[in-house]
Amino acid sequence: MTEPSGSRGGPSGMLSADSISMSEDVRDYVFENSRRYHKYSEGRYHFPNDDAEQEREDMQHAMVMLLCDGKLHFAPLENPQSILDIGTGTGIWAIDMGDEYPAAEILGIDLSPIQPLWVPRNVQFLVDNIEEEWVQPPNSLDYIHSRQMAPTIRDWPAIIAEAYKALKPGGWLELQDLKCVVGCDDDTMQEGDVLASYAKTLAQALRRLEIDCIYSIENYARWLREAGFVNVQEVVLKAPLGTWPKDPHLAKVGLYNRNMIYDGLHGFTIRPFTHGLGWTPEEVEVYLVDVRKAVLNSTAHIYLPFHSVYAQKPLRPQTGRSR
């Protein structure tokens, strides 16, 4: 196994016994319905990795940063030395963390080798399947971060257990996700709203593929406590969909969110609906016509809940699990 791409060094040890470095032959892809998908551990991730999806991911990062007032994390980090980003995607969060914490070594892992080659010297990337058994050395990481992985992971308790082992005593795990639910706090959203219906149908499609993204987010805190984590905290924010908020800052968040979702609709939908619900590609395209119109033209005061759940590995072994 050769050294991962990016900088020299990095968090000690690799992640799973199945890890493959970026320098090896992992740049094969699978093409389906005009979209490009990862080849390594084919079929584990149901969303594309092509240029259009990468642009959407970077827009999502910009939106989340606006929503969170520029915070890359909510966990109270103090001089972290070793950081892991699960499902790093384009690597934009890991790169920003490398700039914010120049003394730390940041490793971003993903099934797709789509990260840039030119990155800060303290950042590196690795192709790996996080749902395989980790071989990351125990007690080796200060912070583990995951964003928008609820629509991907099938067994969160197993991931959380692996993270617990890999963290140093006092280290933090943080799980950030936009929930696949359309919220509205007034009477502007009508019964049968197209976007609310779309979110429910997408969640249903993922459940058919053995991924319950809504249930996962709602149970992060419980699973963290059951794994032995302490100081479990949850931040819930509202990401507007559209420019309806009177507050200029939130209106800008809503603009970014609307553009991100509009650009991502085909990628979000095509494989979950065809593989999970048995729709034809033509049926998906027809269905998305009205969904796209709703994204652009909705006057309802709607939003997507954004959850950040973070917790700490105890400084000392616990005699019993924290509840």
Side-chain angles (χ1 to χ4, degrees):
M1 185 180 299
T2 60
E3 183 179 328
S5 74
S7 67
R8 302 169 186 170
S12 60
M14 297 306 176
L15 225 21
S16 81
D18 220 12
S19 299
I20 299 178
S21 81
M22 292 278 287
S23 60
E24 295 181 32
D25 185 20
V26 295
R27 294 188 179 274
D28 288 336
Y29 299 109
V30 175
F31 293 86
E32 181 180 304
N33 295 316
S34 77
R35 303 307 298 258
R36 190 186 73 185
Y37 298 86
H38 67 96
K39 177 68 174 177
Y40 175 62
S41 291
E42 183 178 344
R44 298 298 298 178
Y45 183 66
H46 296 289
F47 305 101
N49 64 8
D50 47 31
D51 290 348
E53 173 63 8
Q54 291 176 49
E55 291 175 6
R56 186 208 62 80
E57 283 192 15
D58 288 348
M59 175 62 75
Q60 176 178 271
H61 177 73
M63 185 275 290
V64 171
M65 290 295 289
L66 273 176
L67 179 66
C68 298
D69 295 323
K71 296 184 181 72
L72 286 164
H73 56 85
F74 288 96
L77 304 184
E78 295 182 8
N79 191 31
Q81 299 298 301
S82 186
I83 295 171
L84 174 65
D85 185 24
I86 296 172
T88 196
T90 64
I92 191 168
W93 181 90
I95 291 168
D96 283 355
M97 282 292 282
D99 289 334
E100 183 154 327
Y101 295 100
E105 296 173 337
I106 292 96
L107 174 64
I109 63 114
D110 202 277
L111 289 172
S112 295
I114 57 173
Q115 301 77 31
L117 296 177
W118 297 100
V119 297
R121 289 183 60 83
N122 60 330
V123 177
Q124 58 182 349
F125 299 108
L126 185 75
V127 173
D128 188 36
N129 181 359
I130 199 68
E131 294 188 90
E132 301 291 340
E133 183 179 359
W134 297 14
V135 293
Q136 182 76 24
N139 307 312
S140 62
L141 298 170
D142 294 297
Y143 178 57
I144 300 174
H145 169 268
S146 164
R147 182 191 288 165
Q148 213 53 36
M149 292 292 284
T152 302
I153 301 297
R154 292 162 175 79
D155 187 353
W156 273 107
I159 297 293
I160 291 169
E162 293 285 1
Y164 186 92
K165 289 188 292 185
L167 284 167
K168 300 174 184 176
W172 293 87
L173 170 62
E174 182 164 357
L175 310 175
Q176 297 185 352
D177 280 278
L178 283 168
K179 196 173 183 181
C180 189
V181 173
V182 174
C184 182
D185 294 336
D186 55 29
D187 59 359
T188 58
M189 186 173 74
Q190 302 299 312
E191 185 176 351
D193 181 86
V194 171
L195 297 180
S197 175
Y198 169 75
K200 291 178 182 177
T201 308
L202 178 58
Q204 178 189 2
L206 289 170
R207 282 194 295 271
R208 296 278 184 87
L209 297 168
E210 302 180 354
I211 299 168
D212 196 330
C213 57
I214 296 174
Y215 179 82
S216 294
I217 294 170
E218 292 173 347
N219 285 274
Y220 281 162
R222 175 173 67 86
W223 289 333
L224 288 165
R225 291 188 181 97
E226 290 176 351
F229 283 91
V230 297
N231 299 326
V232 180
Q233 303 290 326
E234 182 165 13
V235 175
V236 182
L237 303 174
K238 297 174 182 179
L241 181 52
T243 56
W244 58 265
K246 294 181 180 179
D247 178 272
H249 178 78
L250 287 177
K252 187 174 182 180
V253 174
L255 175 64
Y256 280 34
N257 198 21
R258 183 180 68 189
N259 291 346
M260 182 272 290
I261 290 174
Y262 183 88
D263 290 345
L265 278 174
H266 185 267
F268 299 154
T269 311
I270 188 66
R271 182 171 271 195
F273 278 42
T274 55
H275 287 236
L277 299 180
W279 290 25
T280 67
E282 293 75 20
E283 288 172 331
V284 173
E285 296 290 356
V286 171
Y287 174 73
L288 287 180
V289 170
D290 287 340
V291 180
R292 290 191 178 97
K293 290 179 181 177
V295 171
L296 293 178
N297 301 323
S298 176
T299 58
H301 298 167
I302 56 179
Y303 60 86
L304 299 179
F306 174 83
H307 293 248
S308 179
V309 186
Y310 56 97
Q312 187 177 32
K313 183 174 179 176
L315 288 169
R316 297 177 181 84
Q318 302 293 288
T319 55
R321 292 305 194 193
S322 175
R323 300 292 182 187

